[in-house]
Amino acid sequence: MASEVTYESVHDESEELSLMCDDDLTVYDRLQERCEREIGRADDLVAALRNAGVGDRVAGWVTRCMEQYQLINSQLNQLKQHTYAQDEAVVKAKKLLEAGQGVYAGIAADMESVAERPFYVSDTVDAEDTAAHTEVFETTGA
């Protein structure tokens, strides 16, 4: 079942989107801190393994894990950039919505009053309606 889209519902939705972007950025920061911590721990572990004389195979496993954390960290950077851009777009759209609401509020109110009428003001057919089939439309060159 579709809900009615109103100025208030769109305004509220834009508020929720902004809050979701802020929440996402907080989570990304926490994940990046974790990645950076694990990358540092992996560096220390690889150095300790090599100093202890453990084979390259075990150090290679740790190195591959560290590379995965570096990959996740770089992907989180991309996610943050896109989330910032999305948040800015939501804020811009909200400002445009608010500006447009002021411009078109009178027109919208008039349209609502027309839609609520139980009848048409006039049911007479005028000359424009009866001559519509004879109108000639010219195309303009590009």
Side-chain angles (χ1 to χ4, degrees):
M1 178 174 209
S3 63
E4 184 178 348
V5 177
T6 63
Y7 170 77
E8 290 79 17
S9 69
V10 173
H11 192 273
D12 292 344
E13 191 72 24
S14 66
E15 289 290 329
E16 289 179 30
L17 282 172
S18 290
L19 292 173
M20 286 171 50
C21 287
D22 292 341
D23 291 344
D24 288 348
L25 290 169
T26 302
V27 171
Y28 299 155
D29 286 337
R30 287 181 40 225
L31 289 171
Q32 278 190 304
E33 289 172 9
R34 172 75 186 265
C35 286
E36 290 166 1
R37 184 175 63 241
E38 295 300 327
I39 291 167
R41 288 176 63 192
D43 278 338
D44 295 341
L45 184 57
V46 168
L49 289 170
R50 291 208 170 118
N51 287 338
V54 176
D56 287 336
R57 187 172 179 183
V58 175
W61 292 340
V62 175
T63 302
R64 281 191 293 281
C65 290
M66 180 179 67
E67 290 169 353
Q68 288 300 314
Y69 274 110
Q70 290 169 336
L71 177 65
I72 292 168
N73 197 22
S74 70
Q75 290 174 338
L76 285 168
N77 280 330
Q78 291 175 353
L79 276 171
K80 283 175 70 172
Q81 290 174 352
H82 294 305
T83 304
Y84 279 127
Q86 180 181 8
D87 189 35
E88 289 172 1
V90 167
V91 170
K92 181 180 177 183
K94 183 178 171 187
K95 287 180 182 176
L96 290 172
L97 175 69
E98 289 170 349
Q101 181 65 14
V103 171
Y104 297 110
I107 296 170
D110 185 46
M111 290 173 66
E112 287 175 7
S113 69
V114 169
E116 292 172 1
R117 289 183 193 159
F119 58 89
Y120 291 104
V121 174
S122 172
D123 285 335
T124 61
V125 177
D126 61 10
E128 185 178 317
D129 294 330
T130 58
H133 67 285
T134 63
E135 290 184 37
V136 178
F137 297 97
E138 295 181 20
T139 58
T140 57

